[in-house]
Amino acid sequence: MPSAALPGLSFTAIDFETANPKRASVCAVGVVKVRDGVVVDSLETLVQPPPGHQSFGSFNVRVHGITEWDVVGAPTWDVVYPKLAELVGGDTLVAHNASFDRSVLTQASEVYGLAVPRSSWLCTRDTARSVLDLTSYKLPDVSRALDIAAHDHHDAGADARQCALVLVELCRRLGPNGVGLLGQHVRTW
């Protein structure tokens, strides 16, 4: 993948893993900050799921491999969120299936009474659907179609980074107007 900067393409990619089907059960988060198309900072951590959401479902464990033993001693969401918010600043948040990640952020924060400000989100899955003709729009499939090296799927930090690379490559492929064209996919919640 070319390493040249893309002026104006600045955002923060985010990915969550949950302990069980409840969206509040955050057990890992990865965040990758991009400035002008280049990764400049990141945050990745396991998280102790919030009170009332701490059971680990077998399906979720099979997907991401995180168990209740892995999060012993990990920070709680009320400790992680302020660090995440500082890193994100006022950036547009980018996620592959943004509705899921946005709901995890919101619901985990609600458990702790943390106010989540309205923010702009862009979904790389939906954006890829509007640009690429694929049979599957899962992150590994979109990455492969864009010639982005495989990653450790369902690792929050790796997924956030991969999501960032997908958006950068989509902009490269869209040419000089790519950054502006993607603006039509941004939603504010």
Side-chain angles (χ1 to χ4, degrees), residues 81 85 109-110 112-118:
Y81 177 73
S109 296
E110 285 173 356
Y112 286 102
L114 301 169
V116 176
R118 286 178 57 83

Side-chain angles (χ1 to χ4, degrees), residues 10 15 17 19 35 65 75 77 80-81 89 92 100 105 113 121 123 149 160:
S10 296
D15 184 77
E17 298 300 332
R35 287 291 170 265
W77 181 245
V80 173
Y81 177 73
T92 294
F100 170 80
L105 173 68
W121 287 75
C123 181

Side-chain angles (χ1 to χ4, degrees), residues 20 36 58 64 72 75 78 96 144 151 162 173 180 187 189:
N20 58 61
D36 295 321
S58 59
H64 52 58
V72 170
D78 59 329
H96 202 78
R144 195 170 21 265
H151 73 291
Q162 197 77 352
R173 296 213 177 178
R187 301 172 113 179
W189 285 296

Side-chain angles (χ1 to χ4, degrees), residues 94-100 102 121-134 136-139 142 163 166-167 170 174 181-182 184-187 189:
V94 174
H96 202 78
N97 188 2
S99 62
F100 170 80
R102 183 182 61 79
W121 287 75
L122 184 142
C123 181
T124 54
R125 185 189 63 190
D126 293 348
T127 303
R129 280 187 176 133
S130 72
V131 175
L132 304 171
D133 184 19
L134 304 174
S136 168
Y137 292 90
K138 294 178 180 178
L139 187 56
V142 172
C163 179
V166 162
L167 185 57
L170 284 171
L174 290 171
L181 290 173
L182 288 177
Q184 68 187 347
H185 295 280
V186 175
R187 301 172 113 179
W189 285 296

Side-chain angles (χ1 to χ4, degrees), residues 1 11 13-17 28-34 39 41-46 63-64 66 94-96 101 124 139-140 143 148-167:
M1 174 183 302
F11 60 90
I14 190 166
D15 184 77
F16 288 99
E17 298 300 332
V29 63
V31 182
V32 173
K33 192 169 196 77
V34 173
V39 173
D41 203 356
S42 64
L43 166 72
E44 177 179 2
T45 186
L46 292 172
V63 168
H64 52 58
I66 302 168
V94 174
H96 202 78
D101 294 286
T124 54
L139 187 56
S143 299
I148 299 170
H151 73 291
D152 187 8
H153 190 38
H154 293 299
D155 172 281
D159 278 352
R161 181 172 177 73
Q162 197 77 352
C163 179
L165 295 176
V166 162
L167 185 57

Side-chain angles (χ1 to χ4, degrees), residues 16-91:
F16 288 99
E17 298 300 332
T18 57
N20 58 61
K22 303 275 186 188
R23 299 286 171 96
S25 68
V26 59
C27 65
V29 63
V31 182
V32 173
K33 192 169 196 77
V34 173
R35 287 291 170 265
D36 295 321
V38 177
V39 173
V40 297
D41 203 356
S42 64
L43 166 72
E44 177 179 2
T45 186
L46 292 172
V47 180
Q48 288 183 42
H53 302 278
Q54 295 171 325
S55 65
F56 277 74
S58 59
F59 174 81
N60 294 63
V61 172
R62 276 194 309 277
V63 168
H64 52 58
I66 302 168
T67 69
E68 61 188 278
W69 305 111
D70 295 320
V71 300
V72 170
T76 54
W77 181 245
D78 59 329
V79 172
V80 173
Y81 177 73
K83 295 173 186 173
L84 180 145
E86 182 178 345
L87 181 62
V88 171
D91 282 359

